[in-house]
Amino acid sequence: VGDRGGTVDPTNLAETPFGQPGVRQVGENEYEVYMVARQFLFQPGTGRPLTLPQGSKITFHITSPDVIHGIQVVGTNLNVMVIPGQVATFETSFPEVGTYGMLCHEYCGPAHHTMEGLIEIVPPSEFNEDMLVQ
């Protein structure tokens, strides 16, 4: 992942798109995910799965407000370091319906081993507006 994602003020994410993390539709079969990795969870993804439509173009934007984290999506080649104030941006697609685990692969504190989440890929016909940030 290069530096095309830019930077944000990690102490003031509320004034950025990361103030409301989630999925946004930006075109036909194109979505953006704004995700925050913080001690010790992914927003969205921990507590409630991040739901995305199968086969769509997905652009992830991920940052952290606190310490260095990582995100690895198990069973894929998605593996990114998340640095406070830096925005990691990358594009991907999930061709198969299924559930993928996410985990933090950079030690981020005493509860690091609990930092995990889920991505649920659903058929496009099951994806709806309730799954988007409003």
Side-chain angles (χ1 to χ4, degrees):
V1 174
D3 61 359
R4 76 179 183 130
T7 61
V8 292
D9 177 357
T11 64
N12 192 15
L13 294 183
E15 299 299 319
T16 73
F18 297 99
Q20 286 192 310
V23 181
R24 294 160 174 82
Q25 187 166 10
V26 294
E28 189 173 335
N29 295 324
E30 291 185 38
Y31 298 86
E32 289 188 341
V33 175
Y34 284 86
M35 180 179 283
V36 176
R38 68 173 73 235
Q39 294 175 315
F40 297 99
L41 54 92
F42 296 104
Q43 295 175 295
T46 299
R48 179 177 165 194
L50 169 61
T51 304
L52 299 167
Q54 171 195 18
S56 295
K57 177 182 172 185
I58 310 293
T59 303
F60 279 87
H61 306 277
I62 307 173
T63 195
S64 169
D66 49 27
V67 299
I68 293 175
H69 296 278
I71 179 171
Q72 179 180 5
V73 180
V74 179
T76 74
N77 65 349
L78 300 177
N79 185 333
V80 177
M81 183 176 278
V82 184
I83 300 170
Q86 299 290 316
V87 179
T89 297
F90 60 92
E91 296 172 357
T92 192
S93 178
F94 292 89
E96 302 293 328
V97 170
T99 302
Y100 297 83
M102 294 186 295
L103 55 87
C104 179
H105 61 73
E106 293 289 334
Y107 182 76
C108 57
H112 164 72
H113 64 285
T114 68
M115 189 168 170
E116 61 186 16
L118 294 174
I119 297 175
E120 185 175 354
I121 305 302
V122 298
S125 61
E126 293 180 21
F127 189 81
N128 60 58
E129 285 187 17
D130 293 339
M131 299 168 183
L132 298 173
V133 173
Q134 302 299 322

